Amino acid sequence: KAGVTQTPRYLIKTRGQQVTLSCSPISGHRSVSWYQQTPGQGLQFLFEYFSETQRNKGNFPGRFSGRQFSNSRSEMNVSTLELGDSALYLCASSSVRPGGHSYGYTFGSGTRLTVV
Amino acid sequence: QQPVQSPQAVILREGEDAVINCSSSKALYSVHWYRQKHGEAPVFLMILLKGGEQKGHEKISASFNEKKQQSSLYLTASQLSYSGTYFCGTDSNQGGKLIFGQGTELSVKP
């Protein structure tokens, strides 16, 4: 069974630009979450999508946005990039219990974004 | 609110045991545990649902005290392959929002 696929693996962008990251979840997983990982802040929750709807959002500015398509693939977009946005962005997918909670997440390998 | 993990780091010799704790200020539906090796993605270890259950995965087990909003991860007879950073993730009654602790770096030496 294929894992969670994130593209691209590496990105270098200039301050002020925008970037779009892609995530293909495990087949059958309808919940997709995005995390920002940095050495100082650990794993920070960005947002979670379920059946094309954003169910949960973390404490990030509006420059960070995402969406989910009908095939559960998800994208996240960061506009007006800042140096502090340099991080590893991880996508995780999960199947969901009847009450809406996860059975456990499978993470992709991440996209390493460097803003210069 | 981010759960708090302790200790922040621990160094073990092969065969020794370790306990990693995770504490939350919010009522929890479940607690997840993940391990991340350097340069790799976090890997799911186990999930504990409210009800005080204990689960095991080979020599790694965990408990969840719903009333205290605390979970502990037990690693017994540690192996070199156990080295990595362990994260607990807490899921409150919101569904779909997993918040991770700051991580516990575990190093197992020969």
Side-chain angles (χ1 to χ4, degrees), chain A residues 4-7 19 25 27-28 50 53 55 60 90 92-93 103 112:
Chain A
V4 177
T5 304
Q6 290 188 247
T7 56
V19 66
S27 178
F50 177 73
T53 301
R55 274 201 305 180
F60 279 81
L90 290 162
S93 74
Y103 282 101
R112 173 76 61 186

Side-chain angles (χ1 to χ4, degrees), chain A residues 16-92:
Chain A
Q17 287 186 314
Q18 77 163 25
V19 66
T20 299
L21 311 182
S22 180
C23 172
S24 293
I26 287 175
S27 178
H29 284 189
R30 294 164 61 195
S31 171
V32 175
S33 295
W34 288 88
Y35 289 88
Q36 182 194 65
Q37 187 171 34
T38 58
Q41 298 296 319
L43 282 160
Q44 298 291 306
F45 177 81
L46 280 156
F47 27 66
E48 183 251 359
Y49 286 87
F50 177 73
S51 292
E52 301 179 66
T53 301
Q54 186 182 85
R55 274 201 305 180
N56 294 285
K57 192 176 190 310
N59 298 322
F60 279 81
R63 301 186 296 107
F64 292 82
S65 63
R67 57 179 175 167
Q68 186 180 35
F69 302 94
S70 58
N71 61 357
S72 293
R73 191 177 70 84
S74 178
E75 289 181 347
M76 70 163 279
N77 185 78
V78 188
S79 62
T80 319
L81 284 165
E82 300 176 359
L83 294 179
D85 296 334
S86 295
L88 179 66
Y89 290 87
L90 290 162
C91 163

Side-chain angles (χ1 to χ4, degrees), chain A residues 7-20:
Chain A
T7 56
R9 287 297 308 275
Y10 301 92
L11 265 180
I12 299 176
K13 289 287 188 178
T14 305
R15 260 185 313 175
Q17 287 186 314
Q18 77 163 25
V19 66
T20 299

Side-chain angles (χ1 to χ4, degrees), chain A residues 33 35 37 43-45 48 55-57 90 97 100-105 107-109, chain B residues 2 29 32 34 36 41-42 44 47 49 87 91-100:
Chain A
S33 295
Y35 289 88
Q37 187 171 34
L43 282 160
Q44 298 291 306
F45 177 81
E48 183 251 359
R55 274 201 305 180
N56 294 285
K57 192 176 190 310
L90 290 162
R97 300 170 189 271
H101 296 271
S102 166
Y103 282 101
Y105 288 91
F107 281 82
S109 298
Chain B
Q2 183 182 35
Y29 174 84
H32 299 218
Y34 294 78
Q36 184 177 31
F44 174 72
I47 182 172
L49 304 180
F87 293 95
D91 175 4
S92 66
N93 294 319
Q94 208 161 330
K97 186 174 184 178
L98 191 68
I99 305 299
F100 285 96

Side-chain angles (χ1 to χ4, degrees), chain B residues 36-105:
Chain B
Q36 184 177 31
K37 292 182 180 284
H38 184 69
E40 299 179 9
V43 173
F44 174 72
L45 293 175
M46 67 187 75
I47 182 172
L48 299 107
L49 304 180
K50 63 181 180 181
E53 67 176 280
Q54 184 155 352
K55 296 194 71 173
H57 175 73
E58 296 180 346
K59 294 177 183 174
I60 300 175
S61 62
S63 63
F64 176 27
N65 187 319
E66 177 192 349
K67 289 181 181 175
K68 292 186 177 180
Q69 294 148 202
Q70 294 174 345
S71 179
S72 295
L73 185 72
Y74 307 95
L75 300 101
T76 57
S78 59
Q79 305 168 13
L80 295 176
S81 62
Y82 287 3
S83 292
T85 302
Y86 288 78
F87 293 95
C88 70
T90 54
D91 175 4
S92 66
N93 294 319
Q94 208 161 330
K97 186 174 184 178
L98 191 68
I99 305 299
F100 285 96
Q102 79 278 23
T104 296
E105 190 170 353

